[in-house]
Amino acid sequence: MNDSFKELLHTSPTCPFCGCAPVDARLIGLNAVVCEPCSENIYFHSAAYATIFADGTSIELWDYPAQAQAWRQAESTNAVFLEPNYTTSELTDSQQTAIAAFVTNTHRDVLSRRPLADIESKYLKTIRRGQTYGDSGSKEAQLKQSIDGPVILTSQHLYAPDPAALTAAQETQATLF
């Protein structure tokens, strides 16, 4: 487990939104347990959303800034929720690194970005899809294997080691003089 990911896990045991100790937790995240009233009203809070693609797996991530005073005083990171709700032991090193980079906003420093309009649609569909249909020889499985990760997909940009590899091929027309 890398150090920046470990830091995400050190948070307050209270609800990140109201500060109460969750008695009946309905929403359990990577580093937070949300009480029942706050889980029913979580849509009132704004989250940063991204799809993380690493090691052939898509993970949806919601990053909520902590509202509770106990979280802010403890200088805890934001409350992070994943779908599927993997445990820390189920996440690979590459996935942990990508999650930590997005939550700490360092993904902009270590990965190159491209606007989503530049990315070929077949790559966007593959990155967003949670599971691969067909066997390991299917076109989708081969496409997933061809994507050099980790990739972080936000609402407007794609961050990757080489985002140009995911763009549509530009056709050039030769001119005769």
Side-chain angles (χ1 to χ4, degrees):
M1 187 179 303
N2 72 42
D3 292 335
S4 58
F5 185 77
K6 280 183 187 177
E7 290 178 19
L8 293 179
L9 304 178
H10 295 291
T11 57
S12 172
T14 61
C15 174
F17 301 110
C18 69
C20 297
V23 176
D24 182 20
R26 289 214 179 151
L27 184 59
I28 299 173
L30 180 67
N31 64 348
V33 178
V34 180
C35 67
E36 182 180 358
C38 289
S39 67
E40 292 173 357
N41 296 306
I42 198 164
Y43 56 89
F44 286 127
H45 302 281
S46 296
Y49 173 79
T51 301
I52 307 288
F53 182 82
D55 296 329
T57 304
S58 296
I59 300 170
E60 291 182 275
L61 182 145
W62 291 266
D63 179 22
Y64 288 92
Q67 305 292 318
Q69 185 174 2
W71 276 60
R72 291 193 310 268
Q73 286 176 343
E75 296 181 10
S76 297
T77 58
N78 295 348
V80 179
F81 300 92
L82 305 177
E83 179 62 39
N85 195 9
Y86 290 124
T87 63
T88 55
S89 61
E90 293 173 315
L91 294 168
T92 66
D93 286 340
S94 181
Q95 292 167 338
Q96 291 176 6
T97 302
I99 290 168
F102 180 74
V103 172
T104 59
N105 285 322
T106 57
H107 65 287
R108 295 178 180 136
D109 301 331
V110 296
L111 298 172
S112 301
R113 86 174 183 186
R114 269 316 248 277
L116 289 185
D118 293 353
I119 307 301
E120 197 169 346
S121 66
K122 69 179 181 180
Y123 290 112
L124 292 175
K125 288 177 187 174
T126 301
I127 290 168
R128 288 181 176 137
R129 182 170 286 168
Q131 68 185 73
T132 302
Y133 297 97
D135 60 8
S136 61
S138 71
K139 285 184 180 181
E140 185 178 0
Q142 291 174 353
L143 190 61
K144 275 191 173 190
Q145 292 171 356
S146 73
I147 298 173
D148 182 30
V151 174
I152 298 175
L153 185 66
T154 64
S155 61
Q156 297 182 357
H157 294 96
L158 178 132
Y159 297 86
D162 182 18
L166 305 175
T167 58
Q170 300 292 328
E171 294 183 22
T172 58
Q173 186 175 0
T175 55
L176 299 173
F177 292 99

